[in-house]
Amino acid sequence: MYTDLQEKVVVITGASTGLGRAMAIRFGKEKCNVIINYYSHNEEALKVKMEVENAGGKAAVIQGDVSKEEDVKNLVSFAIEQFGGLDIWINNAGIENSVPSHKLPLEDWEKVIKTNLTGAFLGSREAINYFVENNIKGNVINMSSVHEQIPWPTFVHYAASKGGVKLLTETLALEYAPKGIRVNNIGPGAINTPINEEKLADPQKRKDVESMIPLGYIGKPEEIAAVAVWLASTESSYVTGITLFADGGMTKYPAFQAGRG
Ligand code: BGC
């Protein structure tokens, strides 16, 4: 438990499923007021609201497209209206799909960049604008990926978006540190969430993925949520501008394990 998180208002984008859902529930356990943003999974989002409340927090649900300026501004107003302010903003909404790069339709490229990168920009901008205007030492957390560092064939749009998120975070961290606003990234590896469901249901593909994880297993969403609450709390008060990889060691060149190379 992080007692300083109690009653804090946290906005989480893409919180109806996966990592967003796990973070919402964990912030609920920390007795936060959680704004659950979703794009298309209304029923799931309402279920998450109940889960947050059962965990001990308060929650409110709102639809919105993170790549649309108006929707993101609306998220800020909704947080203020529901819970009287804003303290923590988590840009979690993200999408991916696999297409050989030489065949990647512009439409797919734009969709992924808009959600993963433009969405993180708009969310960060609106949250920071609120923090600056209200003199709040707020906290922004972006959901990056091991693929801000590891190239990923057939996911060029996704990897490019996460590379962008890395420098977005670092730049904002530097720019707003004088105001006590912290901006950090979480870089998850392969985690058991709906985005990976199909891949992980195939035993061979699952084995392939596991072989790239030094700790030897696919991560649990709760293991990412644990990182998020730490980064949001004052326990990490001296941490800004980093990517905290929570990847079971995936970024540490697992092919070299056991003295190979
Ligand atoms: C992707 C997952 C993938 C993992 C490791 C994440 O960013 O969302 O689909 O399994 O990276 O490659």
Side-chain angles (χ1 to χ4, degrees):
M1 285 283 286
Y2 298 95
T3 47
D4 66 286
L5 286 180
Q6 225 165 320
E7 299 294 319
K8 288 277 183 323
V9 181
V10 51
V11 171
I12 307 175
T13 67
S16 55
T17 63
L19 297 181
R21 169 178 171 263
M23 288 190 286
I25 295 169
R26 179 62 201 265
F27 277 96
K29 277 193 189 150
E30 303 291 339
K31 307 215 178 327
C32 288
N33 300 321
V34 185
I35 301 289
I36 298 160
N37 155 263
Y38 73 96
Y39 177 60
S40 57
H41 295 100
N42 174 261
E43 254 176 56
E44 285 88 340
L46 292 172
K47 234 183 99 197
V48 175
K49 178 180 188 301
M50 272 173 46
E51 291 176 303
V52 172
E53 288 166 353
N54 289 340
K58 294 192 191 116
V61 170
I62 182 172
Q63 197 279 337
D65 179 343
V66 295
S67 71
K68 293 212 172 99
E69 200 166 27
E70 278 321 298
D71 287 14
V72 179
K73 283 181 188 281
N74 199 28
L75 256 177
V76 178
S77 326
F78 186 69
I80 297 164
E81 180 193 303
Q82 292 290 315
F83 298 124
L86 175 65
D87 304 287
I88 300 150
W89 186 287
I90 305 185
N91 289 307
N92 168 73
I95 51 172
E96 67 188 47
N97 68 324
S98 170
V99 184
S101 299
H102 66 294
K103 295 289 181 197
L104 182 68
L106 178 61
E107 200 189 328
D108 287 26
W109 169 271
E110 284 179 339
K111 220 169 133 189
V112 167
I113 296 291
K114 267 188 173 173
T115 303
N116 299 7
L117 183 55
T118 307
F121 160 66
L122 288 173
S124 304
R125 187 191 71 185
E126 290 307 313
I128 293 172
N129 187 41
Y130 178 81
F131 297 151
V132 170
E133 289 196 341
N134 293 280
N135 217 0
I136 293 168
K137 293 185 182 357
N139 211 304
V140 176
I141 297 171
N142 290 319
M143 200 50 72
S144 183
S145 161
V146 291
H147 299 295
E148 70 164 48
Q149 182 176 307
I150 306 175
W152 201 14
T154 78
F155 289 86
V156 70
H157 44 349
Y158 183 80
S161 75
K162 297 302 182 180
V165 165
K166 173 182 159 41
L167 271 166
L168 171 85
T169 294
E170 292 176 2
T171 300
L172 295 175
L174 191 58
E175 192 167 343
Y176 294 98
K179 298 204 177 292
I181 296 168
R182 296 191 293 127
V183 188
N184 288 294
N185 272 334
I186 300 175
I191 313 294
N192 217 340
T193 62
I195 219 172
N196 284 320
E197 213 164 19
E198 224 183 285
K199 181 168 58 190
L200 298 179
D202 177 329
Q204 187 52 49
K205 284 190 184 153
R206 191 181 181 97
K207 258 184 90 184
D208 288 349
V209 175
E210 282 166 354
S211 74
M212 296 190 295
I213 308 170
L215 283 181
Y217 69 95
I218 310 290
K220 297 191 269 299
E222 295 75 23
E223 292 178 292
I224 302 302
V227 170
V229 283
W230 179 73
L231 276 178
S233 81
T234 50
E235 290 291 300
S236 62
S237 51
Y238 209 47
V239 178
T240 196
I242 67 155
T243 294
L244 200 162
F245 287 113
D247 65 351
M250 194 181 238
T251 40
K252 298 297 166 286
Y253 304 98
F256 282 84
Q257 253 186 328
R260 283 191 296 249

